[in-house]
Amino acid sequence: MTELQTPRNGISKSFFGPNKSIASNPIPSSSPAFATPAHPIRSYNQPPRPLTPTVLPVLLPPAAIRPLAFRVFTKKHNLTLSSPALQALATFVGKHCGSGWREAGLAEKVLEETAKAWKKEGGAVIVEMDSGKLVTILKSLEGCMSGGRVIQSLGLSRQSSLVSRNSSLDEVALNGELVRPDSLGREDSQQSLGLSNLDVGMDEEEDELGNDPRNYLKVVSAFEQPRLTYVASRKHFEKASKPPSLFPDPSHKTQLFRQRYNLIHQRLLRNESFHAPTIAPRAPSLQRSSSTIATTQQAYKLTSIANLLGRGGTSHLILGLLTIAPTGTLALSDLTGSIALDLRHARPIPEDGAWFAPGMIVLVDGLYEDEGASIGATLGGGGGVGGTIGGKFIGVSVGGPPCERREVTLGVNSGATSGDAGTSAGFGWVDFLGVGSERAIGSRMRRLQRTLLPAEEESPRGRMVILGEVNLDDGRSLQALKKVLSIYDGDSCEDSPMTFILIGNFVKTAVMAGGGNGDSIEYKEYFNNLASTMSDFPTILRSSTFVFVPGDNDPWASAFSAGAATVIPRQSVPEVFTSRIKRAFATANAESSRDKTKKGTGEAVWTTNPARLSLFGPVHEVVIFRDDVTGRLHRSAVRFRSQDGEADEASEVEDDAPESMDIDEAVEAAESTIPAPKAKESASSNFSTVSSHVQAARKLVKTVLDQGHLSPFPLTTRPVLWDYAASLQLYPLPTALILADPAAVPFAVTYEGCHVMNPGKLVTEGRRGTARWMEYDAATRKGTSRETLF
């Protein structure tokens, strides 16, 4: 008996007969006995076959794609390409799109995706190669190019991925392997494509931050703020390439004033009053209207000082820096030269409405008198030697450069109800605080602000409590602070103020320099007493952010200045004195973690002077600055003659209302209205009813904001760190400015959309047992002065 032998493949040919499919296909046929599939298994380990023919690279000159790049980047996305960036894009398009870059429209799609990725990355309005962002974007696109097109996964959204019409419906090619579309998640896809993470996980971030507006509050110190420089030739801002130094090159001192001049000059050229009218203008005058008021066909033209030579006896309008010449007389300087200034017959515009002191950039309207017509030889008439041209400029009117609203600077359409960024010109792509630009995240943050802090409803959580001149060496200050904290202690964590801002000087005299009876040990004891007082209010400590801003009497700068004007920006109070206060916050937060019914984690932030608070990114900016500005202006301001011919002291603020104050009244009101023909009489009557304190506050606010600088004084009067001078700029205008000046009366004034507040002293002088502070509402952007007895 012969034994039947079964072949190794599991079945005999004689049983089923010859089968040709077995030889051609190693997979057995479909049969219930073997449980084999009806169709062959698709292997995903094999390399994909090319879907499109290989692209032959071509050498593409930049001039060939310049019109296309202009249409995509400039007209569609409001971006400007630099020459190196255009060269890089031309090389990329020629390499990956080949000869069909124009006919097939491949280059336009590549440029479109590049522009979108650049804006997602938060790039500047000028596309350059220096930042490295463009190189990263092109490397990401290089891995996604196939046949001159950009491949996109169908699982990605249009805004965060790259579109390709030729991508397969069944599979996506990535890194030479075939993967299923359902296995390609959103996060993995964006990481593989190398796209920006700006929009990725925003919803998750909002869920983590919750509905507390304080989670969107960020304190930006002067040394953390981005160091931006305005480049006049390119008309945009650039980050400083060199690291900052406390001992920079002497050229940085010149750059400090050049930067201030360029910012104000470009701001003037953007103002409607300096635009050439379409019809014949009327007689020009330095009296101007606000940037928000419709001008009636008046235009000004600036003249540089160097262009005055040979034009004696003609009238001109000059923008220059008011300085003191070596001869002791006033002089006016710009980027082209200097000239002696005669203000004996000049009048300020508006009269008694602004301060004018050396170190400020002013507009002077007057006549140029050449050196030959001058009577007698003067030391200043050097015939152009040393940058000073001969002759003198006789001023007729002196005014400050008009201010520019924040919405105009950032290019935001203030009239839109949605709050989205408009398409007007501005610096919306510039990140001034390092929290994101207006064009990148402004629209999203505005929607979030309307949800968490609606302006129509009263929101106690959006309050900021501002206390000025908290002298801890005075027992009355601790009593007043305890009384103020007790007022807010009854509120719940959801309704308590978002932040408490305590501004120095924290001691009356510079104890670190031997002033008074104290030293460093006594100074630490003052903060220990403050910690004991704050420990009595644990609910406030675990639900609010306390911000401490030092003054001139606080260490360590006061150890060398003895309380005089120190160099700004200045560092925060050293940590060696603040350990007890940090311990009080840690104790309150630990109690909150143990008790689940008590929510919140408060913190204490010791920041610089000046400092900035960012709420909801670029939407809300609050500047905090402690300085004796009023006293310095009284000592150094220029005096003008009044209309009756007598010298008018610059320190006087209780004069009668002049006739020209009607224009400044409209500017201070900052309303977008056209003045009526009889606005002059009505404004004068309204001005006469305003108290002298309000007049002094308006005068101070107008001076600081028009200058666009926190310290518009010479370096000999107020020293400044040259490499950190950008932190003193008020451009764009903040939404709120806390100008803590104990010499001035407390006020809250809005000028060109910027709300300026002075909390004054915590303990009111001349009124026994009275505490005064300022309460600012971030939702309504208004401040209120409050008082209480203790």
Side-chain angles (χ1 to χ4, degrees), residues 405-424:
R405 298 179 69 92
R406 180 180 179 88
E407 293 81 5
V408 178
T409 304
L410 298 179
V412 178
N413 186 8
S414 58
T417 57
S418 60
D420 296 339
T423 58
S424 59

Side-chain angles (χ1 to χ4, degrees), residues 258-287:
R258 186 183 298 269
Q259 177 72 6
R260 284 184 53 196
Y261 184 89
N262 287 333
L263 280 178
I264 294 181
H265 185 264
Q266 65 88 22
R267 193 180 74 191
L268 278 179
L269 297 182
R270 289 154 54 94
N271 191 280
E272 295 180 357
S273 300
F274 290 82
H275 293 175
T278 56
I279 61 177
R282 64 182 183 180
S285 173
L286 190 57
Q287 292 187 354

